[in-house]
């Protein structure tokens, strides 16, 4: 009998004498796995998992055995559960990466692989790296380099904008502008008064509503109105496949804003960065949410003079901790423009274009439920029709009320689908009255 089998036989004999010796059983399971006896290894690991469910290292061994036996769905269930627990072994994270790659989710697989190798460089697998590099936009590096947040903040350069647009450039939205003025703009104009009442100059504001209603434009106009700097942060500016780098990038942007006060730090589609931790697929994404919350609290670094503005189409996906007082303590519903606002937006969109005397109010009456983006589509369609005639006749054709009315009949409001979803949340998941504005808007 080969020496390997002799060792296994000796371990089995010792375990028969002391069956409750967990360390001995773990060692036997590892020897069995290394010898290719995956089924026997699974039996030992399952025995160890009875009662208290098994330590993370034991369940990792069980998952590896199941994976080696071709029972991939069972292995996936084990390692997916491990990702939600503290102290998840790097080997489990590596197997999780393989599970996700097998399922075709190569972006998440690359992130998980980066986490595993960062914790244990001995887990690096060149063949798996090549597979991920062929399937993902950014190839995983063999030795991931962590970002120094201080260096990252310095390297951001001229990321701080100085917007020239103000509230005068924003059609309608008077209630929304009034709320923003009270929360963000007046504190800068009257800092002593606010401090007398114990109110900080700075804070957080969350705007939510259908896509295309002008949340990003409004945030930029807020910076212009208050003569503050403006940093526009998207998902790709933060997310990084290597462990800890997303948090470092986030901290870097906050540091850059702290060096440029007063500054509006704007997060578009914030639900993608601050989604509910209960629904996050891995510990890395939950860590990013924790970092975000810590930055907003300003526990280590003062946020005086920083206005943190978030925008989302799906507030129900945002982690509830963001709505705690001191974070996004002012939540504003941004509805589609009303009648007068639609007329104002159409007037702005047609400015500078050849046109007759247009009855913008009449067109606005025919565009109920239209967002600002929908109105732009109306103007674009009208211009396109006139352009075609102008090219054919070699004469500039001015836009008319009729042109806009005809174009409006071809555009369907994009807000309806959003309100169908929002209505369900407003009726059945309105804890704390967060969606009362939707209830009032829809007259539910």
């Amino acid at each position: 009998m080969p020496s390997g089998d002799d060792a296994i036989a000796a371990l089995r004999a010792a375990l028969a004498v002391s069956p409750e010796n967990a360390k001995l059983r773990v060692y036997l399971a590892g020897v069995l796995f290394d010898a290719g006896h995956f089924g026997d290894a699974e039996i030992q690991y399952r025995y160890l998992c009875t009662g208290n469910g098994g330590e993370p290292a034991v369940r990792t061994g069980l998952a590896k055995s199941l994976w080696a036996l071709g029972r991939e769905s069972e292995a996936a269930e084990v390692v997916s559960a491990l990702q939600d627990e503290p102290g998840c072994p790097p080997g489990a994270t590596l197997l999780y990466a393989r599970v996700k790659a097998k399922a075709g989710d190569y972006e998440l697989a690359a992130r998980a692989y980066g986490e595993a190798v960062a914790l244990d460089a001995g887990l690096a697998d060149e063949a798996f790296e090549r597979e991920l590099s062929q399937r993902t936009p950014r190839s995983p590096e063999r030795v991931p380099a962590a970002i120094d947040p201080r260096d990252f903040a310095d390297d951001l350069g001229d990321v701080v904008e100085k917007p020239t647009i103000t509230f005068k450039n924003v059609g309608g939205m008077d209630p929304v502008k009034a709320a923003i003025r009270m929360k963000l703009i007046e504190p800068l104009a009257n800092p002593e008064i606010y401090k007398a009442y114990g109110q900080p100059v700075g804070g957080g504001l969350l705007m939510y509503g259908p896509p295309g209603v002008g949340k990003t434009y409004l945030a930029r106009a807020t910076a212009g109105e208050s003569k503050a700097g403006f940093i526009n942060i998207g998902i790709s500016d933060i997310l990084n496949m290597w462990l800890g780098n997303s948090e470092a990038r986030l901290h870097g942007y906050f540091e850059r804003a702290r060096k440029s006060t007063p500054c509006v730090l704007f997060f578009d589609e914030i639900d993608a960065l601050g989604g509910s931790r209960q629904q996050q697929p891995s510990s890395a994404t939950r860590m990013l949410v924790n970092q975000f919350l810590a930055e907003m609290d300003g526990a280590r670094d003062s946020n005086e003079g920083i206005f943190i503005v978030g925008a989302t189409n799906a507030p129900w996906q945002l982690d509830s901790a963001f709505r705690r007082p001191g974070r996004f303590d002012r939540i504003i519903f941004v509805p589609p423009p009303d009648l007068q606002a639609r007329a104002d937006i159409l007037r702005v969109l047609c400015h500078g274009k050849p046109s007759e005397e247009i009855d913008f109010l009449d067109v606005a009456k025919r565009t109920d439920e239209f967002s600002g983006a929908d109105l732009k589509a109306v103007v674009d369609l009208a211009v396109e029709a006139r352009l075609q005639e102008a090219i054919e006749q070699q004469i500039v054709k001015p836009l008319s009320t009729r042109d806009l009315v005809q174009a409006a009949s071809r555009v369907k409001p994009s807000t309806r689908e959003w309100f169908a979803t929002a209505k369900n949340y407003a009726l059945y998941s309105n804890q704390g009255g967060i969606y009362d504005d939707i209830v009032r808007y829809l007259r539910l």
Side-chain angles (χ1 to χ4, degrees), residues 200-256:
V201 178
L205 181 147
L206 178 68
M207 296 186 290
Y208 76 93
V213 294
K215 296 183 288 293
T216 302
Y217 191 79
L218 186 58
R220 186 172 269 107
T222 298
E225 185 78 12
S226 58
K227 296 181 174 57
F230 182 77
I231 302 178
N232 188 1
I233 303 172
I235 303 169
S236 60
D237 296 318
I238 300 296
L239 295 185
N240 185 275
M241 66 188 293
W242 299 119
L243 184 68
N245 279 2
S246 295
E247 293 92 316
R249 284 170 174 259
L250 182 65
H251 180 68
Y253 275 104
F254 269 89
E255 281 295 291
R256 189 70 178 85

Side-chain angles (χ1 to χ4, degrees), residues 259-434:
K259 294 177 180 178
S260 308
T261 56
C263 186
V264 173
L265 197 56
F266 176 65
F267 293 90
D268 201 5
E269 297 181 1
I270 194 171
D271 52 287
L273 297 174
S276 173
R277 283 168 290 184
Q278 295 179 347
Q279 301 176 14
Q280 297 289 3
S282 73
S283 59
T285 46
R286 290 192 300 276
M287 287 167 60
L288 179 60
V289 174
N290 292 337
Q291 179 71 30
F292 205 151
L293 295 171
E295 294 291 347
M296 292 191 72
D297 289 341
R300 282 177 37 191
D301 304 283
S302 173
N303 286 339
E304 184 79 8
I306 298 178
F307 302 95
I308 305 162
V309 180
T312 177
N313 302 329
W316 39 83
Q317 293 180 1
L318 193 66
D319 194 285
S320 59
F322 281 98
R323 299 195 295 269
R324 196 204 74 182
R327 292 170 181 165
F328 287 129
D329 46 13
R330 189 75 171 88
I331 301 175
I332 299 175
F333 171 56
V334 183
D338 58 21
L339 177 64
Q340 187 57 53
R342 292 197 300 275
D344 292 342
I345 291 170
L346 287 166
R347 186 175 290 104
V348 170
L349 290 171
C350 291
H351 179 72
K353 296 178 174 62
S355 60
E356 300 174 356
E357 190 68 29
I358 297 176
D359 188 346
F360 291 109
L361 196 61
D362 179 54
V363 181
K365 290 176 182 177
R366 303 167 188 267
T367 54
D368 190 33
E369 299 182 312
F370 279 42
S371 68
D374 295 333
L375 294 172
K376 185 177 186 306
V378 168
V379 174
D380 287 345
L381 281 174
V383 168
E384 185 178 311
R386 276 305 187 197
L387 270 174
Q388 187 172 355
E389 290 184 28
I391 292 172
E392 290 173 355
Q393 301 177 22
Q394 291 297 299
I395 299 174
V396 173
K397 296 283 186 176
L399 289 174
S400 66
T401 302
R402 183 169 174 271
D403 294 328
L404 293 176
V405 169
Q406 287 181 340
S409 67
R410 297 167 56 192
V411 177
K412 302 299 180 185
S414 62
T415 62
R416 288 176 181 170
E417 183 178 353
W418 185 88
F419 275 112
T421 300
K423 179 181 178 181
N424 292 329
Y425 283 96
L427 288 175
Y428 308 115
S429 187
N430 193 21
Q431 296 88 347
I434 184 175

